[in-house]
């Protein structure tokens, strides 16, 4: 098998083969999926001679790489390289056994672990200077959005569609970048007013999120866990996934009929933390 895999590298790195494989991927999969399969396969081509390489990747990166190898196998089989395709299939099975696996989100763990929330509150309260840092930290705390999504929310605030419901603002974010998706988010109306007052005069870049971590000591990754922990007090897991951007567009369409009910649950979960907004 090892010899076949070495020979495979020589074959698939030729310009003509790369162009043909790329065309096959883009004809078979949607654009973003095809691009990820192709780029991760060729960025990590040494995987065909070094299986341990996959253990150094994140679960998401490993997934894209495995998908790319699987598509390579299918294409080789399609063009008549059956022996090579069979060897890659066997190798792929070995890689899947050692590839990093994503950690399952266990809502009940966060419900019990109040220390997660305490850590988040500590990071917010230790911000001494910088009104912008405090606002961005609170957006992160109350929405659980990823860094790029916070930047998108801030810079596009005025044009985003919103529903005001009993002190909670439901926002149609519609953020869809590669594998990151955030369709809907919610936050207190008072925070929405603060964003309105400050975002019109200030545009931010992703550097603001880096500075939020490096200069203000607030970690967006931790705030996503805090968000999950707080919502777990009143919401079901699928409702939390909706607000954390971990559901498909088709699933989102189903929940749009229940947004006000989810907003009521959001308010109930977060109400004891609304006092944080009094400090701005």
């Amino acid at each position: 098998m090892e010899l076949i895999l070495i020979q495979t590298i020589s074959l698939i790195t030729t310009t003509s083969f790369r162009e043909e494989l790329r065309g096959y991927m883009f004809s078979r999969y949607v654009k973003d999926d095809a691009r990820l399969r192709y780029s991760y396969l060729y960025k990590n081509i040494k995987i065909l001679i070094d299986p341990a390489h996959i253990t150094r990747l994140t679960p998401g990166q490993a997934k894209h790489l495995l998908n790319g190898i699987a598509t390579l196998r299918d294409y080789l089989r399609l063009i008549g390289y059956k022996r090579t395709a069979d060897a890659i299939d066997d190798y792929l099975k070995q890689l899947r056994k050692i590839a990093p696996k994503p950690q399952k989100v266990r809502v009940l763990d966060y419900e019990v672990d109040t220390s997660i929330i305490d850590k988040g509150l500590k990071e917010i309260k230790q911000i001494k200077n910088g009104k912008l840092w405090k606002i961005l930290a609170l957006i992160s705390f109350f929405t659980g959005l990823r860094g790029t999504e916070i930047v998108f929310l801030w810079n596009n605030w005025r044009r985003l569609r919103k529903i005001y419901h009993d002190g909670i603002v439901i926002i149609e974010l519609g953020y869809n970048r590669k594998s990151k998706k955030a369709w809907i988010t919610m936050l207190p109306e008072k925070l929405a007013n603060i964003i309105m007052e400050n975002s019109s005069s200030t545009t931010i870049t992703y550097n603001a999120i880096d500075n939020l971590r490096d200069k203000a000591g607030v970690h967006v990754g931790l705030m996503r866990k805090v968000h999950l922990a707080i919502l777990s007090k009143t919401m079901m897991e699928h409702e939390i996934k909706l607000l954390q951007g971990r559901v498909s567009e088709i699933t989102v369409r189903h929940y749009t009929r229940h947004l006000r009910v989810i907003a009521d649950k959001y308010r109930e979960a977060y109400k004891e933390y609304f006092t944080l907004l009094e400090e701005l």
Side-chain angles (χ1 to χ4, degrees), residues 105-112 228-229 232 235-237 240:
V105 175
R106 301 184 182 278
V107 175
L108 291 181
D109 289 348
Y110 288 113
E111 184 177 21
V112 174
L228 188 154
S232 68
M235 290 190 188
M236 298 178 68
E237 185 175 358
I240 298 174

Side-chain angles (χ1 to χ4, degrees), residues 106-267:
R106 301 184 182 278
V107 175
L108 291 181
D109 289 348
Y110 288 113
E111 184 177 21
V112 174
D113 188 5
T114 56
S115 65
I116 291 286
I117 301 174
D118 292 338
K119 288 177 183 177
L121 291 172
K122 183 177 180 180
E123 288 196 355
I124 291 174
K125 291 177 179 178
Q126 56 84 37
I127 300 175
K128 302 301 181 184
N129 299 308
K131 182 178 180 181
L132 178 60
W133 304 143
K134 189 65 171 286
I135 297 172
L136 294 178
L138 289 170
I139 292 173
S140 184
F141 177 84
F142 281 103
T143 67
L145 292 174
R146 304 173 182 93
T148 52
E149 295 158 1
I150 293 173
V151 173
F152 182 83
L153 173 75
W154 181 274
N155 291 338
N156 296 278
W157 179 260
R158 289 183 177 274
R159 71 176 185 82
L160 294 175
R161 297 174 63 191
K162 308 171 187 71
I163 297 173
Y164 289 77
H165 175 71
D166 292 343
I168 302 301
V169 182
I170 305 165
I171 305 158
E172 184 182 47
L173 202 59
Y175 183 91
N176 185 0
R177 298 292 187 277
K178 301 177 183 177
S179 60
K180 308 300 184 187
K181 299 174 174 61
W183 309 108
I184 297 289
T185 192
M186 297 178 183
L187 45 75
E189 186 172 343
K190 181 159 187 176
L191 180 55
N193 294 336
I194 293 170
I195 297 171
M196 173 68 81
E197 293 169 5
N198 292 272
S199 62
S200 59
S201 59
T202 306
T203 299
I204 64 173
T205 67
Y206 193 75
N207 288 336
I209 304 302
D210 291 337
N211 289 334
L212 183 64
R213 178 192 65 235
D214 299 335
K215 296 183 179 181
V218 176
H219 298 79
V220 170
L222 172 63
M223 293 303 168
R224 278 181 67 76
K225 295 178 181 179
V226 170
H227 183 251
L228 188 154
I230 292 173
L231 294 184
S232 68
K233 294 184 291 184
T234 60
M235 290 190 188
M236 298 178 68
E237 185 175 358
H238 57 270
E239 294 169 331
I240 298 174
K241 285 184 175 180
L242 170 68
L243 296 183
Q244 290 226 323
R246 292 187 281 115
V247 296
S248 68
E249 185 173 6
I250 294 174
T251 307
V252 170
R253 291 173 186 170
H254 168 73
Y255 288 115
T256 53
R257 292 175 290 177
H258 311 288
L259 287 177
R260 286 175 174 79
V261 174
I262 296 174
D264 290 336
K265 293 182 179 182
Y266 174 93
R267 185 193 317 100

Side-chain angles (χ1 to χ4, degrees), residues 1 51 54 87 89-99:
M1 182 194 295
I54 201 166
D89 190 48
D90 291 338
Y91 188 59
L92 192 57
K93 292 174 183 176
Q94 296 178 26
L95 290 176
R96 284 179 173 142
K97 290 179 181 178
I98 62 173

